[in-house]
Amino acid sequence: MKLERDVIVIGAGPSGAISSALLKQRGWNVLVLEGQRFPRFSIGESLLTHCLDFVDEAGMMPAVERAGFQFKNGAAFVRGDEYGDFDFSDKFTKGRDSTFQVQRAAFDKVLADEAEKQGVEIRYETRVTAVDNSGAKPRVRAVDAKGVEYEVEGKFLLDASGFGRVLPKLLDLETPSKFPVRNAVFTHVADGAAPDAFDRNKIQVIVHPGHRDVWFWLIPFANGRCSLGCVARKEFFDTYPAQLEERLKKLVSEEPFLTRVLANATWDTPARELTGYAANVKSMHGKGFALLGNAAEFLDPVFSSGVTIAMRSASMAAGLLDRQLRGETVDWTNDFEIPLRKGVDTFRAYVKAWYDGRFQDIMFAKTQPPGIRAMICSILAGYAWDQSNPFVAEPERRLDMVAKLCAA
Ligand code: FAD
């Protein structure tokens, strides 16, 4: 069997759902091949406000609003008895002031269902196992749940396979991330926290008291539950119990804020572990294909930038591909990869500053130079492509300068 479509999308996560809907709206015949059946677990539960701009562009905001996800208006940072938070309404860049914290199983299903309602064809439990882009049109080999294999040929292929990284692996595009290998251990708990125990409208990013490069996330959901995770290098985790829930409980017991907030928590979900998730590619596009979201690059979870980058890449690629399919000559390097990487590089500078301590020095300083909070807040809200923000235009230099001022 051989199918023919205008566009083949690998993966129905956020970047696959948004890109396929935007292309369908422009009149293209899109087939999404998704390896799993939705709803399925995925990590990445704290959204930035900018990502809702793309949900809106794809016409999916009413469905996301109806789903009743936890309201989010900012980010809070905790280190011992030091606390600092950002409210997105204080940001420098114009844009949304709030977003959501979501169980990804439910969120990703809402987006994929909306894409289907708009006419996108999604084949679930269908894995892409091979690709051939040597001919005039790219082809993929798909295998469904019954083991039936078939070929799909398209005019273009979008890889939205996230950590599956289908094309980077099959086409030898992988290149190591410059960040060291870190692991994340995480679970969901019924937190049992009193309503005033902490600000449920913000992600809580908590620094381990003894190790400033080890941190926790506490992401509240709407139903009295929280996502809880800890990020550290493997060598650090090796000194803790091998059993994941025990490991997480031991780490929580070392941190006063979490010990207090989770005193009455019910640990009812098996903990999971992810390792070495930071990844990069030699190129984000090639003959007949482009890479979206995590299939291209993933930095680090600390600033919750993953879904925003995934959706932004989806929106940019859909616009460019539409023009290409209409016969225009387009430039994937200058109109996709370079501008996309600018924002990714902004986040990269912040991630680097988080782990080398500069961001924490700024965050927890007794006084900060006026105006800088609004500019940093914009990046925390996801507006990392706004070149009018000096902290986007020159992130390294600005972060360095302010960290020195704060330390003085
Ligand atoms: P995904 O969401 O991974 O979707 C890819 C889809 O492709 C999957 O459904 C998969 O089944 C499918 N697929 C894979 N291989 C194949 C195949 N061969 N054939 C067919 N289908 C296939 N981001 C945030 O924004 N906020 C956070 O708080 C956050 N926290 C994170 C914490 C950790 C520890 C990690 C590791 C990441 C975190 N992220 C976060 C990042 C976030 O998980 C990703 O950036 C986001 O899910 C990327 O979306 P995507 O559409 O590119 O891919």
Side-chain angles (χ1 to χ4, degrees):
M1 175 167 69
K2 185 172 135 198
L3 303 177
E4 285 183 47
R5 299 290 188 271
D6 293 323
V7 183
I8 307 164
V9 178
I10 311 174
S15 59
I18 298 285
S19 58
S20 60
L22 292 175
L23 284 160
K24 182 70 197 173
Q25 287 166 20
R26 288 163 164 113
W28 303 107
N29 191 344
V30 189
L31 173 61
V32 180
L33 301 169
E34 165 56 55
Q36 302 184 61
R37 170 129 319 260
F38 280 19
R40 54 88 178 95
F41 179 85
S42 182
I43 195 67
E45 298 146 324
S46 189
L47 304 181
L48 305 184
T49 67
H50 185 36
C51 91
L52 294 188
D53 295 332
F54 307 111
V55 173
D56 197 23
E57 184 189 358
M60 299 177 182
M61 265 313 273
V64 168
E65 275 164 353
R66 272 196 308 274
F69 295 119
Q70 169 66 41
F71 174 83
K72 174 183 170 187
N73 64 7
F77 296 87
V78 183
R79 190 173 65 184
D81 52 14
E82 297 170 296
Y83 175 91
D85 62 15
F86 286 91
D87 192 305
F88 292 146
S89 62
D90 296 332
K91 68 189 180 314
F92 169 89
T93 306
K94 284 198 173 45
R96 292 170 190 274
D97 293 342
S98 69
T99 180
F100 299 105
Q101 312 209 114
V102 300
Q103 289 95 333
R104 284 285 301 279
F107 179 70
D108 288 13
K109 179 152 169 52
V110 168
L111 300 186
D113 287 353
E114 286 303 297
E116 268 187 322
K117 280 185 208 156
Q118 294 180 21
V120 171
E121 179 187 0
I122 304 181
R123 295 188 170 212
Y124 287 101
E125 295 183 278
T126 303
R127 297 194 62 75
V128 170
T129 56
V131 62
D132 177 2
N133 71 333
S134 60
K137 290 179 177 180
R139 285 178 192 192
V140 299
R141 175 154 293 277
V143 185
D144 72 15
K146 293 188 181 120
V148 177
E149 289 199 24
Y150 54 92
E151 272 201 343
V152 191
E153 186 177 88
K155 293 174 183 149
F156 205 84
L157 182 54
L158 291 177
D159 185 359
S161 64
F163 297 111
R165 297 173 64 76
V166 173
L167 294 192
K169 284 178 184 157
L170 291 173
L171 298 178
D172 191 23
L173 301 169
E174 294 197 285
T175 186
S177 165
K178 294 209 170 75
F179 289 121
V181 176
R182 291 194 170 86
N183 289 13
V185 182
F186 47 90
T187 188
H188 286 179
V189 295
D191 57 76
D196 60 352
F198 69 106
D199 183 353
R200 297 192 78 93
N201 295 338
K202 293 181 176 63
I203 180 176
Q204 311 286 312
V205 176
I206 306 121
V207 183
H208 186 286
H211 307 269
R212 64 197 232 155
D213 63 337
V214 177
W215 61 277
F216 301 86
W217 75 73
L218 188 70
I219 300 174
F221 297 133
N223 55 1
R225 298 181 65 77
C226 275
S227 171
L228 166 71
C230 182
V231 173
R233 292 210 200 194
K234 184 183 172 306
E235 309 84 81
F236 176 84
F237 280 136
D238 284 347
T239 62
Y240 283 80
Q243 206 275 337
L244 296 179
E245 184 176 315
E246 276 177 44
R247 184 186 305 174
L248 210 40
K249 280 184 169 160
K250 171 90 174 64
L251 285 156
V252 163
S253 75
E254 293 169 355
E255 202 294 313
F257 171 85
L258 287 171
T259 301
R260 174 175 61 79
V261 166
L262 298 177
N264 299 317
T266 309
W267 295 64
D268 56 7
T269 307
R272 301 173 186 241
E273 184 174 29
L274 269 178
T275 184
Y277 37 72
N280 206 344
V281 284
K282 292 170 203 158
S283 171
M284 288 181 174
H285 63 91
K287 185 167 169 266
F289 73 87
L291 310 179
L292 308 181
N294 276 182
E297 179 165 13
F298 180 69
L299 297 170
D300 186 273
V302 68
F303 294 119
S304 307
S305 57
V307 174
T308 299
I309 293 169
M311 289 191 179
R312 185 157 178 130
S313 70
S315 165
M316 289 172 71
L320 204 57
L321 180 53
D322 174 55
R323 285 169 45 202
Q324 176 168 318
L325 293 172
R326 287 180 197 290
E328 265 186 58
T329 303
V330 300
D331 182 340
W332 283 92
T333 301
N334 284 311
D335 295 338
F336 177 70
E337 176 152 2
I338 290 176
L340 183 67
R341 281 208 195 260
K342 275 205 174 131
V344 176
D345 286 344
T346 304
F347 282 120
R348 190 189 322 282
Y350 284 76
V351 170
K352 193 165 156 261
W354 172 263
Y355 286 105
D356 67 24
R358 283 173 299 157
F359 186 89
Q360 293 177 33
D361 290 344
I362 298 170
M363 185 64 235
F364 297 115
K366 295 263 176 317
T367 53
Q368 293 152 338
I372 65 137
R373 282 183 66 82
M375 294 175 191
I376 292 178
C377 187
S378 280
I379 289 127
L380 300 183
Y383 293 94
W385 288 264
D386 173 12
Q387 291 292 320
S388 71
N389 180 351
F391 278 75
V392 168
E394 298 179 304
E396 268 295 337
R397 199 175 76 78
R398 294 277 169 175
L399 281 165
D400 246 11
M401 201 174 71
V402 177
K404 279 182 192 132
L405 283 174
C406 287

